[in-house]
Amino acid sequence: MARLLNAAHTEPYEGGKVDWPSWRTFVASLGDPQLTMAGLRPDLWAVGHTTTKTAAVIQQDGRILADAPDSPSLSTLRDWLTAWENAGRPAPEAYTPTLVPAGDDQGPAGWHLRLTR
């Protein structure tokens, strides 16, 4: 979180106004374990990619924050944004939710939510 609160790199999203419900549903459908959601301010959410060493998110206002201009997380975030645009910014209703059993005899039991189109 500190990497994002004191972001070394910021830029506007050039793709226009972010359709927040579409964007957050699209990235959730990717099932990427590095997907991150953060509340950087009480009234401003951000979704993006983080690792133990890198971080990049896009905020609801369209501002992209990253730990560095050459951040691997920023590259991934840009790829996700391109894929979202190429998919036509699908509405949340375009996805079918499915619960998939998680865990086995090696780990905790539970469920994973999967979204498919």
Side-chain angles (χ1 to χ4, degrees):
M1 182 97 131
R3 282 189 176 104
L4 295 173
L5 290 173
N6 303 306
H9 177 78
T10 65
E11 64 186 60
Y13 177 55
E14 299 296 333
K17 186 174 186 307
V18 177
D19 178 343
W20 198 251
S22 171
W23 166 245
R24 71 173 184 241
T25 306
F26 176 82
V27 291
S29 75
L30 299 175
D32 191 299
Q34 271 69 52
L35 175 64
T36 299
M37 185 168 201
L40 300 177
R41 295 194 325 236
D43 60 341
L44 193 62
W45 286 99
V47 172
H49 183 272
T50 60
T51 69
T52 57
K53 299 187 187 292
T54 67
V57 296
I58 185 169
Q59 297 181 133
Q60 285 173 288
D61 64 1
R63 170 101 12 226
I64 294 173
L65 310 173
D67 59 311
D70 62 348
S71 170
S73 286
L74 181 56
S75 178
T76 298
L77 177 63
R78 287 177 176 148
D79 289 347
W80 289 353
L81 287 163
T82 298
W84 175 59
E85 293 288 353
N86 289 341
R89 295 182 169 212
E93 298 80 25
Y95 295 88
T96 301
T98 306
L99 289 176
V100 178
D104 53 28
D105 59 347
Q106 303 296 317
W111 298 91
H112 291 293
L113 174 63
R114 299 288 182 247
L115 299 171
T116 56
R117 280 189 25 175

